[in-house]
Amino acid sequence: MSESIGGGNHGAALRRDGKSLVIGASGIVGSHIVKRLFLEGRSPIGLSRNERQEPHAKWIKGDLADPQSISWPAVEVIYCTASARLLADALPTMATPSLRRVVLFTTTSISTKAYSTDPEVQARIAAYASAERDVIVCCENLGVTWTVLRPTMIYDEGKDQNLTRLARLIARFGFFPLCGRGRGLRQPVHAEDCAIAAISAAQSVRAANRVYDLPGGETITYREMIGRIFDGLKRRRFIVPVPPPLWLLAFRLVQRHFPGIKAEMGVRMAKDLIFDGSSAVADFGWKPRGFHPSFDFTERSTVGN
């Protein structure tokens, strides 16, 4: 999906040597943005609540929730992989005359989970969507171009809270219980590919004032996705299909041991969650990798996580 909204400084190209601020620079996508900007010979600036000294970036200390307390540097691009709500509230304070593009990461869940049967999930997604809209409106009011990137399921082996969590369960128990046949389609996307997309989009005139879905390089079933996690752990695939009613019953019995996993997860294994990345391909050369993860943690190191 690609959406074009509003006007703004649509035709302005960005200099490749312009300074950039990365909000969420210590996260799985933000850290890759910092590294890639550094490798391209640029000097990105990272925002952190704690004192940091790392070679890839110049760090400023501050909390986005308190933008008035920060001396914001003059930059051309702001990349935000953190809270869109905090960014929307802070942008009027952050923006300097040099700012020309804001690249914001949100999520495809804005469209897939908007009608979730879980009230908590529905409220969270509504808040995401509202924050995304507010960032766009704020950019328009400031005369700054923007690009919104909505990745699918982001992974970065050993670091993410999506597929790595599943890999840890598999490493611990040696099998994976599948709700039904797991035929729902998925497009996992690597965090580094998301970073590449962000930098490319920031340089693209065509990507100004547009919203893009960022699916991964392959469309596979949920079952095959789990199978490739087994492969990435160098373990024999041991996937156990469980009838949905029995899966939900078993889930309720063990839910207290896995508080981060929702019962709805089982139902969603049968649903297709796929998106069209062709606009991103056309506008800024989106070219994500196929899904072949590799995990190197051991069973002993994962039991307590």
Side-chain angles (χ1 to χ4, degrees):
M1 179 193 74
S2 172
E3 301 174 19
S4 180
I5 307 172
N9 193 15
H10 196 110
L14 301 174
R15 298 180 303 164
R16 290 192 63 82
D17 61 345
K19 287 189 176 181
S20 301
L21 171 66
V22 184
I23 299 171
S26 59
I28 60 171
V29 175
S31 61
H32 281 294
I33 294 175
V34 167
K35 290 176 184 177
R36 294 199 67 89
L37 288 171
F38 177 79
L39 291 173
E40 290 182 8
R42 289 182 267 177
S43 300
I45 301 168
L47 175 68
S48 175
R49 286 191 293 265
N50 303 309
E51 294 285 354
R52 299 178 68 98
Q53 289 190 359
E54 296 176 16
H56 295 139
K58 174 183 177 182
W59 292 87
I60 57 174
K61 182 180 177 181
D63 189 339
L64 193 61
D66 185 17
Q68 302 285 352
S69 67
I70 302 172
S71 179
W72 294 103
V75 297
E76 284 198 12
V77 185
I78 293 175
Y79 299 96
C80 182
T81 66
S83 166
R85 175 78 274 142
L86 291 180
L87 178 65
D89 295 340
L91 258 179
T93 301
M94 298 169 59
T96 62
S98 62
L99 182 62
R100 303 177 70 186
R101 178 73 62 87
V102 171
V103 179
L104 171 67
F105 279 88
T106 58
T107 172
T108 52
S109 294
I110 286 175
S111 56
T112 62
K113 295 183 180 179
Y115 302 102
S116 169
T117 57
D118 185 328
E120 182 181 334
V121 171
Q122 194 175 80
R124 185 170 69 249
I125 296 305
Y128 285 160
S130 175
E132 181 186 274
R133 287 193 300 270
D134 287 350
V135 170
I136 290 171
V137 169
C138 185
C139 286
E140 298 287 355
N141 290 339
L142 292 169
V144 173
T145 59
W146 53 267
T147 304
V148 172
L149 303 177
R150 294 177 176 173
T152 53
M153 184 183 293
I154 300 176
Y155 71 98
D156 191 353
E157 296 93 329
K159 300 176 183 178
D160 67 272
Q161 295 298 313
N162 296 314
L163 298 186
T164 293
R165 176 183 292 174
L166 299 180
R168 292 188 190 282
L169 291 174
I170 291 169
R172 181 177 182 180
F173 297 109
F175 74 99
F176 188 86
L178 197 69
C179 183
R181 297 183 179 275
R183 290 177 174 171
L185 298 177
R186 296 293 187 274
Q187 299 165 312
V189 59
H190 198 280
E192 185 178 23
D193 291 335
C194 292
I196 294 169
I199 295 170
S200 298
Q203 299 297 326
S204 170
V205 173
R206 296 179 65 178
N209 301 337
R210 299 184 73 86
V211 179
Y212 295 92
D213 291 328
L214 293 184
E218 285 189 84
T219 300
I220 55 178
T221 64
Y222 193 97
R223 182 188 180 101
E224 178 61 18
M225 182 181 77
I226 296 299
R228 294 195 190 181
I229 294 175
F230 275 93
D231 298 345
L233 288 164
K234 296 181 172 57
R235 295 195 174 207
R236 181 178 65 87
R237 296 187 180 191
F238 188 5
I239 302 172
V240 182
V242 180
L246 182 58
W247 195 96
L248 291 172
L249 175 62
F251 177 87
R252 292 189 183 98
L253 294 175
V254 302
Q255 185 174 16
R256 65 188 181 90
H257 298 293
F258 305 100
I261 300 178
K262 298 276 188 180
E264 187 180 359
M265 170 185 167
V267 177
R268 288 167 62 83
M269 291 180 189
K271 294 183 178 180
D272 292 344
L273 301 177
I274 56 174
F275 300 87
D276 182 6
S278 60
S279 295
V281 173
D283 290 353
F284 51 87
W286 173 240
K287 191 178 181 181
R289 70 195 70 184
F291 182 62
H292 298 284
S294 177
F295 300 92
D296 62 4
F297 50 76
T298 64
E299 183 175 349
R300 173 175 292 183
S301 68
T302 64
V303 170
N305 293 331

Coordinates of all heavy atoms in Angstrom, one line a residue, residues 221-291:
T221 N 3.7 -19.5 4.4 CA 2.7 -19.8 5.4 C 3.2 -19.6 6.8 O 4.5 -19.7 7.0 CB 2.1 -21.2 5.2 OG1 3.2 -22.1 5.5 CG2 1.6 -21.4 3.8
Y222 N 2.4 -19.5 7.8 CA 2.8 -19.4 9.2 C 3.6 -20.7 9.5 O 4.6 -20.6 10.2 CB 1.6 -19.2 10.1 CG 2.0 -18.8 11.5 CD1 1.9 -17.5 11.9 CD2 2.3 -19.8 12.4 CE1 2.3 -17.2 13.2 CE2 2.7 -19.5 13.7 CZ 2.7 -18.1 14.1 OH 3.1 -17.8 15.4
R223 N 3.1 -21.8 9.0 CA 3.7 -23.1 9.3 C 5.2 -23.1 8.8 O 6.1 -23.5 9.5 CB 2.9 -24.3 8.8 CG 3.5 -25.6 9.1 CD 2.9 -26.8 8.4 NE 3.5 -28.0 8.7 CZ 3.0 -28.9 9.6 NH1 1.9 -28.6 10.2 NH2 3.7 -30.0 9.9
E224 N 5.3 -22.7 7.5 CA 6.7 -22.6 7.0 C 7.5 -21.6 7.7 O 8.8 -21.9 7.8 CB 6.6 -22.3 5.5 CG 7.9 -22.2 4.8 CD 8.7 -23.4 4.8 OE1 8.2 -24.5 5.0 OE2 10.0 -23.3 4.5
M225 N 7.0 -20.5 8.1 CA 7.8 -19.5 8.9 C 8.3 -20.2 10.2 O 9.5 -20.0 10.5 CB 6.9 -18.3 9.3 CG 7.6 -17.3 10.0 SD 6.5 -15.9 10.5 CE 5.6 -16.6 11.9
I226 N 7.5 -21.0 10.9 CA 7.9 -21.7 12.0 C 9.0 -22.7 11.7 O 10.0 -22.9 12.3 CB 6.8 -22.3 12.8 CG1 5.8 -21.3 13.3 CG2 7.3 -23.2 13.9 CD1 6.4 -20.3 14.3
G227 N 8.8 -23.4 10.5 CA 9.7 -24.4 10.1 C 11.1 -23.8 9.8 O 12.1 -24.4 10.2
R228 N 11.1 -22.6 9.3 CA 12.4 -21.9 9.0 C 13.1 -21.5 10.3 O 14.3 -21.3 10.3 CB 12.2 -20.8 8.0 CG 11.8 -21.3 6.6 CD 12.0 -20.3 5.6 NE 11.3 -20.8 4.3 CZ 11.3 -20.1 3.2 NH1 11.9 -18.9 3.1 NH2 10.7 -20.5 2.1
I229 N 12.3 -21.2 11.3 CA 12.9 -20.9 12.6 C 13.6 -22.1 13.1 O 14.7 -22.0 13.7 CB 11.9 -20.4 13.6 CG1 11.3 -19.0 13.1 CG2 12.5 -20.2 15.0 CD1 10.2 -18.5 14.0
F230 N 13.0 -23.3 13.0 CA 13.7 -24.6 13.4 C 15.0 -24.7 12.6 O 16.0 -25.0 13.1 CB 12.8 -25.8 13.1 CG 11.8 -26.1 14.2 CD1 10.5 -25.6 14.2 CD2 12.2 -27.0 15.2 CE1 9.6 -25.9 15.1 CE2 11.3 -27.3 16.2 CZ 10.0 -26.8 16.2
D231 N 14.9 -24.4 11.3 CA 16.1 -24.5 10.4 C 17.2 -23.6 10.9 O 18.4 -23.9 11.0 CB 15.7 -24.1 9.0 CG 14.7 -25.1 8.4 OD1 14.5 -26.2 8.9 OD2 14.2 -24.7 7.3
G232 N 16.8 -22.3 11.3 CA 17.7 -21.3 11.8 C 18.3 -21.7 13.1 O 19.4 -21.2 13.5
L233 N 17.7 -22.6 13.9 CA 18.2 -23.1 15.1 C 19.0 -24.4 14.9 O 19.5 -25.0 15.9 CB 17.1 -23.4 16.1 CG 16.4 -22.2 16.7 CD1 15.0 -22.6 17.4 CD2 17.3 -21.5 17.8
K234 N 19.0 -24.8 13.7 CA 19.7 -26.1 13.3 C 19.1 -27.3 14.1 O 19.7 -28.2 14.6 CB 21.2 -26.0 13.5 CG 21.9 -25.0 12.6 CD 23.4 -25.0 12.9 CE 24.1 -24.1 11.9 NZ 23.6 -22.7 11.8
R235 N 17.7 -27.3 14.1 CA 17.0 -28.3 14.7 C 16.0 -29.0 13.7 O 15.5 -28.3 12.8 CB 16.2 -27.8 15.9 CG 17.1 -27.3 17.1 CD 16.3 -27.1 18.3 NE 17.1 -26.7 19.4 CZ 16.8 -27.0 20.7 NH1 15.7 -27.7 21.0 NH2 17.6 -26.6 21.7
R236 N 15.7 -30.2 14.0 CA 14.7 -30.9 13.1 C 13.4 -30.3 13.4 O 13.0 -30.0 14.5 CB 14.7 -32.4 13.5 CG 13.7 -33.2 12.7 CD 13.8 -34.7 13.1 NE 13.3 -34.9 14.4 CZ 12.1 -35.1 14.8 NH1 11.1 -35.1 13.8 NH2 11.7 -35.3 16.0
R237 N 12.6 -30.1 12.3 CA 11.3 -29.5 12.4 C 10.4 -30.4 13.2 O 10.2 -31.6 12.8 CB 10.7 -29.2 11.1 CG 11.5 -28.1 10.3 CD 10.7 -27.8 9.0 NE 11.5 -26.7 8.2 CZ 10.9 -26.1 7.2 NH1 9.7 -26.3 6.8 NH2 11.7 -25.2 6.5
F238 N 9.8 -29.9 14.3 CA 8.9 -30.7 15.1 C 7.7 -29.8 15.4 O 7.6 -29.1 16.4 CB 9.5 -31.2 16.4 CG 8.7 -32.1 17.2 CD1 7.5 -32.6 16.7 CD2 9.2 -32.5 18.4 CE1 6.8 -33.5 17.5 CE2 8.5 -33.4 19.2 CZ 7.2 -33.9 18.7
I239 N 6.8 -29.7 14.4 CA 5.6 -28.9 14.5 C 4.4 -29.7 14.7 O 4.1 -30.7 14.0 CB 5.4 -28.0 13.2 CG1 6.7 -27.2 12.9 CG2 4.2 -27.1 13.3 CD1 6.7 -26.5 11.6
V240 N 3.6 -29.4 15.7 CA 2.5 -30.3 16.1 C 1.2 -29.5 15.9 O 0.8 -28.6 16.6 CB 2.6 -30.6 17.6 CG1 1.4 -31.5 18.0 CG2 3.9 -31.3 17.9
P241 N 0.4 -29.9 14.8 CA -0.9 -29.2 14.6 C -1.9 -29.6 15.7 O -2.0 -30.8 16.0 CB -1.3 -29.8 13.2 CG -0.1 -30.4 12.6 CD 0.8 -30.8 13.8
V242 N -2.6 -28.6 16.2 CA -3.5 -28.9 17.3 C -4.9 -28.3 16.9 O -4.9 -27.1 16.4 CB -3.1 -28.2 18.6 CG1 -4.1 -28.5 19.7 CG2 -1.7 -28.7 19.0
P243 N -6.0 -29.0 17.0 CA -7.3 -28.5 16.6 C -7.5 -27.2 17.4 O -7.2 -27.1 18.6 CB -8.3 -29.6 17.1 CG -7.5 -30.8 17.0 CD -6.1 -30.4 17.4
P244 N -8.0 -26.1 16.7 CA -8.2 -24.8 17.4 C -8.9 -24.9 18.7 O -8.4 -24.2 19.7 CB -9.0 -24.0 16.3 CG -8.6 -24.6 15.0 CD -8.4 -26.1 15.3
P245 N -10.0 -25.6 18.9 CA -10.6 -25.6 20.3 C -9.7 -26.2 21.3 O -9.6 -25.6 22.4 CB -11.9 -26.5 20.1 CG -12.2 -26.4 18.6 CD -10.8 -26.4 17.9
L246 N -8.9 -27.2 21.0 CA -8.0 -27.8 21.9 C -6.8 -26.8 22.2 O -6.4 -26.7 23.3 CB -7.5 -29.1 21.4 CG -6.5 -29.9 22.3 CD1 -7.2 -30.2 23.7 CD2 -6.1 -31.2 21.7
W247 N -6.4 -26.1 21.1 CA -5.3 -25.2 21.3 C -5.7 -24.1 22.3 O -4.9 -23.7 23.1 CB -5.0 -24.6 19.9 CG -3.6 -23.9 19.9 CD1 -2.4 -24.4 19.4 CD2 -3.4 -22.5 20.2 NE1 -1.5 -23.5 19.5 CE2 -2.0 -22.3 20.0 CE3 -4.1 -21.5 20.7 CZ2 -1.4 -21.1 20.3 CZ3 -3.5 -20.3 21.0 CH2 -2.2 -20.1 20.8
L248 N -6.9 -23.5 22.1 CA -7.4 -22.5 23.0 C -7.5 -22.9 24.4 O -7.2 -22.2 25.4 CB -8.7 -21.9 22.4 CG -8.6 -21.1 21.1 CD1 -10.0 -20.8 20.6 CD2 -7.8 -19.9 21.3
L249 N -8.0 -24.2 24.6 CA -8.1 -24.7 25.9 C -6.7 -24.9 26.6 O -6.5 -24.5 27.7 CB -8.8 -26.1 25.9 CG -8.9 -26.8 27.2 CD1 -9.8 -26.0 28.2 CD2 -9.6 -28.2 27.0
A250 N -5.8 -25.4 25.8 CA -4.4 -25.6 26.4 C -3.8 -24.3 26.7 O -3.1 -24.1 27.7 CB -3.6 -26.4 25.4
F251 N -4.1 -23.3 25.8 CA -3.5 -22.0 26.0 C -4.0 -21.4 27.3 O -3.2 -20.8 28.1 CB -3.9 -21.0 24.9 CG -3.4 -19.6 25.0 CD1 -2.1 -19.3 24.6 CD2 -4.2 -18.7 25.7 CE1 -1.6 -18.0 24.8 CE2 -3.7 -17.4 25.8 CZ -2.4 -17.1 25.4
R252 N -5.2 -21.5 27.6 CA -5.8 -21.0 28.9 C -5.1 -21.6 30.1 O -4.9 -20.9 31.1 CB -7.3 -21.1 28.9 CG -8.0 -20.3 27.9 CD -9.5 -20.3 28.1 NE -10.2 -19.6 27.0 CZ -10.8 -20.1 26.0 NH1 -10.8 -21.5 25.8 NH2 -11.4 -19.4 25.1
L253 N -4.7 -22.9 30.0 CA -4.1 -23.6 31.1 C -2.7 -23.1 31.3 O -2.2 -23.1 32.5 CB -4.2 -25.1 30.8 CG -5.5 -25.7 30.8 CD1 -5.4 -27.2 30.4 CD2 -6.3 -25.6 32.1
V254 N -2.0 -22.7 30.3 CA -0.6 -22.3 30.4 C -0.3 -20.8 30.3 O 0.8 -20.4 30.4 CB 0.3 -23.1 29.4 CG1 0.1 -24.6 29.6 CG2 0.0 -22.7 28.0
Q255 N -1.4 -20.0 30.1 CA -1.3 -18.6 29.8 C -0.5 -17.9 30.9 O 0.3 -17.0 30.6 CB -2.6 -18.0 29.7 CG -2.6 -16.5 29.2 CD -4.0 -15.9 28.9 OE1 -5.0 -16.5 29.3 NE2 -4.0 -14.8 28.3
R256 N -0.6 -18.2 32.1 CA 0.1 -17.5 33.2 C 1.6 -17.7 33.1 O 2.4 -16.8 33.6 CB -0.4 -18.0 34.6 CG -0.1 -19.4 34.9 CD -0.8 -19.8 36.2 NE -0.5 -21.2 36.6 CZ 0.6 -21.5 37.3 NH1 1.4 -20.6 37.8 NH2 0.8 -22.8 37.6
H257 N 2.1 -18.7 32.4 CA 3.5 -18.9 32.2 C 4.1 -18.1 31.0 O 5.3 -17.9 30.9 CB 3.8 -20.4 32.0 CG 3.4 -21.3 33.1 ND1 4.0 -21.2 34.4 CD2 2.4 -22.2 33.3 CE1 3.4 -22.1 35.2 NE2 2.5 -22.7 34.5
F258 N 3.2 -17.6 30.2 CA 3.6 -16.9 29.0 C 2.7 -15.6 28.8 O 1.9 -15.5 27.9 CB 3.5 -17.8 27.7 CG 4.2 -19.1 27.8 CD1 3.5 -20.2 28.1 CD2 5.6 -19.1 27.6 CE1 4.2 -21.4 28.2 CE2 6.3 -20.3 27.7 CZ 5.6 -21.5 28.0
P259 N 2.9 -14.7 29.7 CA 2.0 -13.5 29.8 C 2.1 -12.6 28.5 O 1.2 -11.8 28.2 CB 2.5 -12.7 31.0 CG 3.9 -13.2 31.2 CD 3.9 -14.6 30.8
G260 N 3.2 -12.7 27.8 CA 3.3 -11.9 26.6 C 2.6 -12.4 25.4 O 2.6 -11.7 24.3
I261 N 2.0 -13.6 25.4 CA 1.4 -14.2 24.3 C -0.1 -14.2 24.5 O -0.6 -14.6 25.5 CB 1.9 -15.6 24.1 CG1 3.4 -15.6 23.8 CG2 1.2 -16.3 22.9 CD1 4.1 -16.9 23.7
K262 N -0.8 -13.7 23.5 CA -2.3 -13.6 23.5 C -3.0 -14.8 22.9 O -2.4 -15.4 21.9 CB -2.8 -12.4 22.8 CG -2.2 -11.1 23.4 CD -3.1 -10.6 24.5 CE -2.7 -9.2 25.0 NZ -3.6 -8.8 26.2
A263 N -4.2 -15.2 23.4 CA -4.9 -16.3 22.8 C -5.2 -16.1 21.3 O -5.3 -17.0 20.5 CB -6.2 -16.5 23.6
E264 N -5.4 -14.8 21.0 CA -5.7 -14.4 19.6 C -4.6 -14.9 18.6 O -4.9 -15.0 17.4 CB -5.9 -12.9 19.5 CG -6.5 -12.4 18.2 CD -6.6 -10.9 18.2 OE1 -6.4 -10.3 19.2 OE2 -7.0 -10.4 17.1
M265 N -3.4 -15.0 19.1 CA -2.3 -15.4 18.3 C -2.6 -16.7 17.5 O -2.3 -16.9 16.4 CB -1.1 -15.6 19.1 CG 0.1 -16.3 18.4 SD 1.5 -16.6 19.6 CE 2.5 -17.7 18.6
G266 N -3.3 -17.7 18.2 CA -3.6 -19.0 17.6 C -4.6 -18.8 16.4 O -4.4 -19.4 15.3
V267 N -5.6 -18.0 16.6 CA -6.6 -17.7 15.6 C -6.0 -17.1 14.4 O -6.3 -17.4 13.2 CB -7.8 -16.8 16.1 CG1 -8.8 -16.5 15.0 CG2 -8.4 -17.5 17.3
R268 N -5.0 -16.1 14.6 CA -4.4 -15.4 13.6 C -3.4 -16.3 12.7 O -3.0 -15.9 11.6 CB -3.6 -14.2 14.1 CG -4.5 -13.1 14.6 CD -3.8 -12.1 15.5 NE -2.7 -11.4 14.8 CZ -2.9 -10.4 14.0 NH1 -4.2 -9.9 13.8 NH2 -1.9 -9.8 13.3
M269 N -3.1 -17.5 13.2 CA -2.2 -18.3 12.4 C -2.9 -18.8 11.1 O -2.2 -19.1 10.2 CB -1.8 -19.6 13.2 CG -0.9 -19.3 14.4 SD -0.6 -20.9 15.3 CE 0.3 -20.3 16.8
A270 N -4.2 -18.7 11.1 CA -4.9 -19.1 9.9 C -5.2 -17.9 8.9 O -5.7 -18.1 7.8 CB -6.2 -19.8 10.2
K271 N -4.9 -16.7 9.4 CA -5.3 -15.5 8.6 C -4.1 -15.0 7.8 O -3.0 -15.1 8.2 CB -5.7 -14.4 9.6 CG -7.1 -14.7 10.3 CD -7.5 -13.5 11.1 CE -8.8 -13.8 11.8 NZ -9.3 -12.6 12.6
D272 N -4.4 -14.6 6.6 CA -3.4 -14.0 5.7 C -3.1 -12.6 6.2 O -4.0 -11.8 6.3 CB -3.8 -14.0 4.2 CG -4.0 -15.4 3.6 OD1 -3.4 -16.3 4.2 OD2 -4.6 -15.5 2.6
L273 N -1.8 -12.3 6.4 CA -1.4 -10.9 6.7 C -0.3 -10.5 5.7 O 0.9 -10.6 6.0 CB -0.9 -10.9 8.2 CG -1.8 -11.3 9.3 CD1 -1.1 -11.3 10.6 CD2 -3.1 -10.4 9.3
I274 N -0.8 -10.2 4.5 CA 0.2 -9.9 3.4 C -0.1 -8.5 2.9 O -1.3 -8.0 2.9 CB 0.1 -10.9 2.3 CG1 -1.3 -11.1 1.8 CG2 0.6 -12.3 2.8 CD1 -1.4 -12.0 0.6
F275 N 1.0 -7.9 2.3 CA 0.9 -6.5 1.9 C 1.7 -6.3 0.6 O 2.5 -7.1 0.3 CB 1.4 -5.6 3.0 CG 0.7 -5.6 4.2 CD1 1.0 -6.6 5.2 CD2 -0.4 -4.8 4.5 CE1 0.3 -6.7 6.4 CE2 -1.1 -4.9 5.7 CZ -0.8 -5.9 6.6
D276 N 1.4 -5.3 -0.1 CA 2.0 -5.0 -1.4 C 3.1 -4.0 -1.3 O 2.8 -2.9 -0.9 CB 0.9 -4.5 -2.4 CG 1.4 -4.2 -3.8 OD1 2.6 -4.6 -4.0 OD2 0.7 -3.7 -4.6
G277 N 4.3 -4.4 -1.6 CA 5.4 -3.5 -1.5 C 5.9 -2.9 -2.8 O 6.9 -2.3 -2.9
S278 N 5.0 -3.0 -3.8 CA 5.4 -2.6 -5.1 C 5.7 -1.1 -5.2 O 6.5 -0.6 -5.9 CB 4.4 -3.0 -6.2 OG 3.1 -2.4 -5.9
S279 N 4.9 -0.3 -4.5 CA 5.1 1.2 -4.5 C 6.5 1.5 -3.9 O 7.1 2.4 -4.3 CB 4.0 1.9 -3.7 OG 2.7 1.7 -4.3
A280 N 6.8 0.8 -2.8 CA 8.2 1.0 -2.2 C 9.3 0.7 -3.2 O 10.3 1.3 -3.2 CB 8.3 0.3 -0.9
V281 N 9.1 -0.4 -3.9 CA 10.0 -0.8 -4.9 C 10.2 0.3 -6.0 O 11.3 0.7 -6.4 CB 9.6 -2.1 -5.6 CG1 10.5 -2.5 -6.8 CG2 9.6 -3.3 -4.6
A282 N 9.1 0.8 -6.4 CA 9.1 1.8 -7.5 C 9.7 3.1 -7.0 O 10.4 3.8 -7.8 CB 7.7 2.0 -8.1
D283 N 9.3 3.5 -5.8 CA 9.7 4.9 -5.4 C 11.0 5.0 -4.7 O 11.6 6.1 -4.8 CB 8.6 5.4 -4.4 CG 7.3 5.7 -5.1 OD1 7.2 5.6 -6.4 OD2 6.3 6.0 -4.4
F284 N 11.5 3.9 -4.1 CA 12.9 4.1 -3.5 C 13.6 2.8 -3.5 O 14.5 2.6 -2.6 CB 12.8 4.7 -2.0 CG 11.8 4.0 -1.1 CD1 12.2 2.9 -0.3 CD2 10.6 4.5 -0.9 CE1 11.3 2.3 0.5 CE2 9.7 3.9 0.0 CZ 10.1 2.8 0.7
G285 N 13.3 1.9 -4.4 CA 14.1 0.7 -4.6 C 14.1 -0.4 -3.5 O 15.1 -1.1 -3.3
W286 N 13.0 -0.5 -2.9 CA 12.8 -1.5 -1.8 C 13.2 -2.9 -2.3 O 12.6 -3.4 -3.3 CB 11.4 -1.5 -1.3 CG 11.0 -2.5 -0.3 CD1 10.0 -3.4 -0.5 CD2 11.5 -2.7 1.0 NE1 9.8 -4.2 0.6 CE2 10.7 -3.8 1.6 CE3 12.5 -2.1 1.8 CZ2 11.0 -4.2 2.9 CZ3 12.7 -2.6 3.0 CH2 12.0 -3.6 3.6
K287 N 14.1 -3.6 -1.7 CA 14.5 -4.9 -2.1 C 14.9 -5.7 -0.9 O 16.0 -6.0 -0.6 CB 15.7 -4.8 -3.0 CG 16.1 -6.1 -3.7 CD 17.3 -5.9 -4.7 CE 17.6 -7.2 -5.4 NZ 18.8 -7.0 -6.3
P288 N 13.9 -6.2 -0.1 CA 14.1 -7.0 1.1 C 14.6 -8.4 0.8 O 14.3 -9.0 -0.2 CB 12.7 -7.0 1.8 CG 11.8 -7.0 0.6 CD 12.4 -6.1 -0.4
R289 N 15.3 -8.9 1.8 CA 15.9 -10.3 1.7 C 14.8 -11.3 1.9 O 13.7 -11.0 2.4 CB 17.0 -10.5 2.7 CG 16.5 -10.6 4.1 CD 17.6 -10.4 5.1 NE 18.1 -9.0 5.1 CZ 19.1 -8.6 5.8 NH1 19.8 -9.4 6.6 NH2 19.5 -7.3 5.8
G290 N 15.0 -12.6 1.4 CA 14.2 -13.7 1.8 C 14.3 -14.1 3.2 O 15.2 -13.6 3.9
F291 N 13.4 -14.9 3.7 CA 13.3 -15.2 5.1 C 14.1 -16.5 5.4 O 13.6 -17.6 5.1 CB 11.9 -15.4 5.6 CG 11.8 -15.7 7.0 CD1 12.2 -14.8 8.0 CD2 11.2 -16.9 7.5 CE1 12.1 -15.1 9.3 CE2 11.1 -17.2 8.8 CZ 11.6 -16.3 9.8

